[in-house]
Structure formats: structure tokens, C-alpha cells
Amino acid sequence: HVAHLVPSAAAGIGTLLDLDEATISQAVAQALHTTTATRQSRKGEISTWKAHAPAFAGKMAVEAVDRAMRGQTSPSPIYEGEDGVIAWMLDGPDASYDVPLPAPGEPKRAILDSYTKEHSAEYQAQAWIDLARKLHNEASFDPADVASIVLHTSHHTHYVIGSGANDPQKYDPKASRETLDHSIPYIFAVALQDGGWHHVDSYLPARAARPDTVALWHKITTAEDAEWTRRYHSEDPDEKAFGGRVEITLENGTVLTDEIAVADAHPLGARPFARENYVAKFRLLAEPVLAPEEIERFLDLAQRLPELTAAEVQELNIVAKGGVLDSVASPKGLF
């Protein structure tokens, strides 16, 4: 993700600062050149670096803009150059990409093509959590009676967060939170048993080590399905899908099937996220670390964004409640 986030953030910062095109171009080039990462970040025991990648991206974007403003030049052209990103990290030196851009003055609506995460888990897991929640609430079977569960899904889901990754860590109760976040067998098992997903409790070591969860978890596999892969890559928003079909075989031989295309919170989902859902999610995540008055102050500003004064924009930040930062371990490094 850093290879997308950092150039985007650098371009955004440059635009907000009203920098000239040449400076922004140099900032974007440096931002991308210094942050291209490999798929290894999603393999095996997933690291805390992966968990902090968005913050790292923001840091690198700020530094890239700062250096470009000071006159530092960067490897260019970074995307289409002979030894650039396209040649070595994408489809090769002969590849060609068409990137649609808004015309001058045209509203920039690309953010509307992004998808909300209701649950604190990998995006490809969102729809599966919702399907597991639905099955739990229907209570048509006892998870303890399951013989096997197969999630028929896209190539990406199968090979990145599914059993197709061939990562034993995805089935390890002692795996890191970051690894469990990228294990759809674990996520589906917990959501099926609990009827939901919690950003803290669902990842606790004690939760992952629960014997009945481990037993169910190890009965869940994924399988690539050509049709779900096709829909995953579809450019038609009405057809594009991130879910799949579940096949549950019970010990008595009964086979149950169900499917889901998109998460409930998706614009085409069963319960598209609205303003109140975003506010509720912010409160859920903020309450442990922010004072009530700080939560209200920030929400008031954020919900009046178009009318804020320059001084109020500078207040769009948050201050942790007393003792929170001191409670976080800070191992000694170089600085």
C-alpha cells in the first residue's frame, strides 16, 4: 500500500501548499522511489512494520515534499523510466497504463470509489465477517458440529489471506495480531462463533487460543473460484465483488451454502455506512484514548469542515487524555 499512499500524500501536501508542478513532481518521484515494498510484507509472520505502514507512508510523504521544496531532485521519470517502477515492479518495460484524471476544474471524486471498513480487519475479510455474522444470527447450526468449511473466493483472497498462501502462521494461535488480521480462516471462525468482530477482543491471545476456536479454525480452507476472481477484477461497480460462497459440511453430512458479494457497509451492501455509522465507529475507537469533551470537540469540527476558518482547520487534531501516551512502551533506539 505504501507505493500508493506515499505518492498520493506527497501530491496532496504539495497541492495544499500551492507548490509549483515541478516541485510536486520531484516530491512524488522521491516518495515513490523510497517506498516501493514487496509482497513479503504479507507473507508468513506479518510484522509490526506492516501494521504501521500507513503512518510510515505519511512520514515519508512529508519528508519527500520537504526535500523537494529545498531543491533536492529525485530519480525521474520514476514510473515509466527505463528502470522505473513499471519496468521492474509492474508489468515490464513494454507495459502501458491509461490513468484517467479529472479535467481542470472538474470535481475530484475518486475517493468515492473507496470502500468503508466497518471491521478492523483486512478489506477482503469485511464481507466474510458479515456473512459469518448472518449465519451466527440465523443459528441454523452449531459451529461445534462443523466437519469442514470451504470459502470459494477470488484469487487475491485465496492467495493473500486464505489457505492458498501456504503460510502455516495463518493457522497458529500464537501468531501476531497482524498475521491474524490476514488470516480469513481465523477471522471467519471467530466471527461465526461470536456473531461479530471487535477491534481488540477478537485479536486477544486468549481469544485466538480458545480450544473450540482452534478446532473450528483448522477446519476452514479457501479455494479460488474463477467467477469470483472475475468479479473481483470487474470494473463495473454493480458487479465488482469482494466476497464469495461458503460451503459448510456438518458432521452428519448436511451441506449448507450461502454467499455474499460485498460487505454490509459497502454502498451496494445490506446496510451501507451513513454519517451516523462513521460517527459511531469513531466514538468506539476514540473512547479508550480521548476524553469525552475532546471527542465532541473534534466531531464538531469534522462535521463543519466546509465552513471552518483557517484557525479552526489548525485545530483538526486530537489530544490524548492524560496518561495514555505514558502508558505506551517506548523502547530505546538511536534517538
Side-chain angles (χ1 to χ4, degrees):
H1 296 331
V2 287
H4 297 294
L5 290 173
V6 187
S8 301
I13 294 169
T15 302
L16 286 171
L17 295 177
D18 199 27
L19 301 181
D20 61 87
E21 182 179 320
T23 302
I24 295 176
S25 178
Q26 292 296 329
V28 168
Q30 180 166 149
L32 179 59
H33 180 71
T34 58
T35 59
T36 47
T38 68
R39 177 57 67 82
Q40 189 59 37
S41 63
R42 292 168 177 255
K43 290 292 292 179
E45 182 76 5
I46 297 180
S47 64
T48 53
W49 179 92
K50 171 67 173 66
H52 301 145
F56 172 76
K59 168 183 175 291
M60 295 301 290
V62 170
E63 291 183 3
V65 173
D66 174 74
R67 293 177 182 183
M69 291 174 68
R70 297 172 188 271
Q72 187 174 95
T73 58
S74 305
S76 300
I78 189 59
Y79 284 101
E80 67 272 28
E82 180 181 355
D83 285 320
V85 169
I86 292 175
W88 284 98
M89 302 196 75
L90 296 177
D91 284 345
D94 297 325
S96 176
Y97 296 89
D98 293 321
V99 181
L101 297 174
E106 182 183 353
K108 299 174 178 63
R109 298 193 178 96
I111 194 171
L112 298 178
D113 291 331
S114 62
Y115 303 110
T116 297
K117 272 189 177 183
E118 177 180 358
H119 314 292
S120 182
E122 159 80 12
Y123 188 76
Q124 275 67 38
Q126 301 294 305
W128 289 111
I129 292 173
D130 293 330
L131 182 57
R133 176 170 58 187
K134 171 178 176 283
L135 293 169
H136 172 93
N137 292 337
E138 290 174 350
S140 59
F141 67 96
D142 186 340
D145 295 332
V146 167
S148 67
I149 295 178
V150 180
L151 309 179
H152 299 269
T153 187
S154 68
H155 177 279
H156 181 93
T157 302
H158 175 54
Y159 285 102
V160 176
I161 64 173
S163 55
N166 292 319
D167 290 335
Q169 294 89 345
K170 293 191 188 303
Y171 289 92
D172 184 356
K174 296 180 181 179
S176 66
R177 175 190 170 114
E178 291 75 24
T179 304
L180 297 177
D181 173 84
H182 282 62
S183 170
I184 193 59
Y186 173 74
I187 291 171
F188 194 82
V190 171
L192 185 61
Q193 290 180 327
D194 295 354
W197 190 259
H198 190 272
H199 62 285
V200 175
D201 297 346
S202 296
Y203 290 110
L204 292 175
R207 183 67 193 83
R210 221 173 76 183
D212 62 328
T213 297
V214 175
L216 177 61
W217 176 7
H218 287 195
K219 295 175 182 177
I220 300 174
T221 58
T222 60
E224 181 183 358
D225 183 287
E227 176 60 13
W228 287 106
T229 295
R230 186 193 68 78
R231 292 188 63 181
Y232 179 88
H233 291 291
S234 174
E235 296 182 2
D236 180 351
D238 293 328
E239 186 180 51
K240 191 174 184 65
F242 299 92
R245 175 175 58 87
V246 63
E247 185 175 287
I248 302 170
T249 303
L250 304 182
E251 294 287 359
N252 64 9
T254 300
V255 177
L256 307 173
T257 62
D258 206 338
E259 66 178 50
I260 188 170
V262 295
D264 289 354
H266 186 281
L268 299 178
R271 184 177 43 79
F273 248 41
R275 172 64 62 86
E276 60 267 24
N277 302 113
Y278 288 104
V279 171
K281 181 177 179 180
F282 176 79
R283 291 186 186 279
L284 175 68
L285 298 176
E287 284 170 356
V289 294
L290 301 183
E293 59 271 20
E294 180 69 356
I295 291 175
E296 299 309 320
R297 183 194 69 81
F298 178 82
L299 284 173
D300 174 66
L301 287 172
Q303 295 183 88
R304 294 190 297 108
L305 196 60
E307 60 193 55
L308 295 186
T309 65
E312 287 176 318
V313 169
Q314 293 181 320
E315 296 174 8
L316 275 172
N317 208 334
I318 52 175
V319 178
K321 61 185 178 183
V324 168
L325 297 181
D326 292 336
S327 70
V328 179
S330 182
K332 182 174 175 56
L334 287 176
F335 307 106

